[in-house]
Amino acid sequence: MRLHNYWRSSCSWRVRIALNLKGLAFEYVPVHLVKDGGAQHTDAYRALNPMRTVPTLEFTHEGRVHFLSQSLAILEYLEERYPSPALLPADPLLRAHVRMLSEVMNSGIQPLHNLSVAQRVKAELKGDDKAWNAYWIERGLTALQALAEQTAGRYCVGDEVSFADVCLIPQLYAARRFGVDLSPYGLLTRVEAACAGLPAFLAAHADRQPDAVPA
Ligand SMILES: N[C@@H](CCC(=O)N[C@@H](CS)C(=O)NCC(=O)O)C(=O)O
């Protein structure tokens, strides 16, 4: 498998964690989102992913090369193809809770602070992109924590790592990056601390990737 991704892209990071948790080796293919206007906008990359976003997972299945994008679709594919260890609970209701929390981040937070959105807020609307990002992240994390209170154990849903935790860790990194005060989010940062020591999470961390830029 080859993962076309970027070190501090939260969506890429989700897939790196899931691949690591499932023990799946992958080749790291960096896609620089900023340098020279962004490699995601090149014809070569658009042929793999017309949405011009990372991640894209490239792999061969039954003799054909596939390019799968949309991080949650990739997580679902990995879960079905490589079910152990499970990243969704067996119980249908708890699975729905995991998906609900994941979607809060996937469709309710990340798209609003995505690079191309923030770039337009700044360039076209002459707005404060950092304040814009922080606003949507805070609003989303407040909802996320209230929702997670229904199910949290050691992790977001019970005591097993799930998609929700896989989405949470990069989301909190992005929150800090945009100056969000995480002190009101005790439940979320407690789950983050529980994940932090797990090897799969450690290896997937943005700062440890080959294309990471030291602070
Ligand atoms: N829903 C997509 C979102 C992908 C996405 O927005 N990726 C960001 C990085 S986290 C990106 O590539 N942004 C590039 C840009 O906005 O130009 C997914 O989950 O994969």
Side-chain angles (χ1 to χ4, degrees):
M1 290 189 191
R2 306 178 81 213
L3 184 65
H4 301 261
N5 75 137
Y6 183 60
W7 63 288
R8 66 178 176 190
S9 144
S10 58
C11 305
S12 301
W13 189 338
R14 296 170 189 167
V15 175
R16 293 196 300 263
I17 298 170
L19 288 167
N20 292 344
L21 284 166
K22 290 183 178 291
L24 298 167
F26 61 96
E27 181 188 342
Y28 191 105
V29 185
V31 179
H32 202 302
L33 295 186
V34 185
K35 202 170 70 182
D36 301 328
Q40 71 275 32
H41 303 299
T42 59
D43 289 347
Y45 189 74
R46 287 172 76 164
L48 316 186
N49 183 343
M51 280 298 282
R52 302 190 240 167
T53 56
V54 287
T56 302
L57 185 65
E58 177 183 349
F59 56 94
T60 303
H61 181 67
E62 294 179 349
R64 209 186 119 198
V65 179
H66 292 261
F67 298 96
L68 209 52
S69 58
Q70 297 297 329
S71 59
L72 284 195
I74 298 172
L75 296 189
E76 294 278 355
Y77 170 73
L78 294 175
E79 185 70 5
E80 289 177 9
R81 185 109 195 254
Y82 308 97
S84 179
L87 298 179
L88 285 172
D91 178 73
L93 179 57
L94 293 179
R95 290 167 87 86
H97 274 275
V98 167
R99 289 180 169 126
M100 171 180 71
L101 299 177
S102 304
E103 278 304 332
V104 167
M105 292 174 269
N106 185 53
S107 53
I109 305 180
Q110 186 276 335
L112 292 159
H113 68 76
N114 186 26
L115 176 64
S116 51
V117 174
Q119 282 171 337
R120 278 192 82 78
V121 166
K122 191 173 176 182
E124 305 290 326
L125 306 175
K126 312 294 174 216
D128 180 342
D129 55 326
K130 298 254 169 7
W132 165 275
N133 289 347
Y135 171 81
W136 290 110
I137 293 173
E138 271 175 28
R139 193 178 188 272
L141 291 184
T142 301
L144 183 70
Q145 178 160 275
L147 291 167
E149 275 164 7
Q150 299 178 76
T151 52
R154 182 168 172 76
Y155 301 109
C156 285
V157 177
D159 294 325
E160 303 295 336
V161 169
S162 72
F163 289 178
D165 309 298
V166 163
C167 293
L168 177 66
I169 290 350
Q171 187 60 71
L172 293 182
Y173 179 96
R176 289 192 184 90
R177 195 178 147 209
F178 297 118
V180 173
D181 171 17
L182 291 183
S183 59
Y185 306 109
L187 185 156
L188 302 179
T189 52
R190 178 178 59 68
V191 171
E192 181 188 40
C195 295
L198 301 175
F201 282 82
L202 278 170
H205 195 284
D207 299 345
R208 294 189 164 205
Q209 303 315 305
D211 54 340
V213 177

